[in-house]
Amino acid sequence: MNTWLKLSITSICLSFSCFALAQIPETLHSEGVSYITGGVGEGETTSILAEAKQWPLMLEMSQIENGRGVWIFGAKIKIVDSKKQLIFNAQADGPYMLVNLESGEYQIQATYQDVEQKKAINIKSNATQKISLFWK
């Protein structure tokens, strides 16, 4: 009976850990740069935030709606390098986007509902940079 109980508990734990891992959206690629986008639903949000520690850049996107901040999806994100070359071009499928950039200086061009904003960023090795993009 004791062995059966251990096997049951192990099986349940493995089932839950597989479910948590399945919540991370698949890794995509744009212009050769890997990224993850999403954050719709509590499970996916939790997984992306936990995964963010492994990525150099985390984008967080929101807007004001009815007097309060709400998460958005559908923002178009372009990133150019210090030579003004486009190195990334993708659409966010949720309020979060993790982007695997090499160390260096970049400019983010983010567009949502025809409103563009730009932010200069400096990616450093072994550090995650969190950028909040907010539309009014």
Side-chain angles (χ1 to χ4, degrees), residues 5-67:
L5 182 60
K6 288 179 183 177
L7 286 174
S8 296
I9 290 172
T10 302
S11 177
I12 290 170
C13 290
L14 286 173
S15 296
F16 281 116
S17 66
C18 289
F19 176 74
L21 290 174
Q23 295 294 321
I24 298 172
E26 70 177 288
T27 301
L28 304 170
H29 295 85
S30 170
E31 309 290 329
V33 176
S34 58
Y35 71 100
I36 292 175
T37 180
V40 178
E42 186 176 339
E44 194 173 279
T45 296
T46 302
S47 295
I48 286 176
L49 293 176
E51 181 75 9
K53 299 170 190 167
Q54 308 300 318
W55 293 73
L57 177 62
M58 175 180 158
L59 302 177
E60 179 182 73
M61 294 156 275
S62 61
Q63 75 168 359
I64 288 282
E65 189 174 288
N66 296 323

Side-chain angles (χ1 to χ4, degrees), residues 34-117:
S34 58
Y35 71 100
I36 292 175
T37 180
V40 178
E42 186 176 339
E44 194 173 279
T45 296
T46 302
S47 295
I48 286 176
L49 293 176
E51 181 75 9
K53 299 170 190 167
Q54 308 300 318
W55 293 73
L57 177 62
M58 175 180 158
L59 302 177
E60 179 182 73
M61 294 156 275
S62 61
Q63 75 168 359
I64 288 282
E65 189 174 288
N66 296 323
R68 55 178 241 185
V70 295
W71 301 118
I72 63 167
F73 64 93
K76 293 180 177 122
I77 307 297
K78 292 181 181 181
I79 300 175
V80 296
D81 63 15
S82 59
K83 299 173 188 169
K84 306 294 184 208
Q85 297 294 313
L86 179 69
I87 62 155
F88 183 83
N89 185 9
Q91 181 170 316
D93 292 336
Y96 298 105
M97 184 177 274
L98 306 177
V99 185
N100 189 18
L101 294 175
E102 295 181 9
S103 297
E105 294 182 13
Y106 301 91
Q107 183 178 65
I108 298 170
Q109 300 168 350
T111 305
Y112 181 70
Q113 295 181 342
D114 297 324
V115 177
E116 183 182 73
Q117 57 179 295

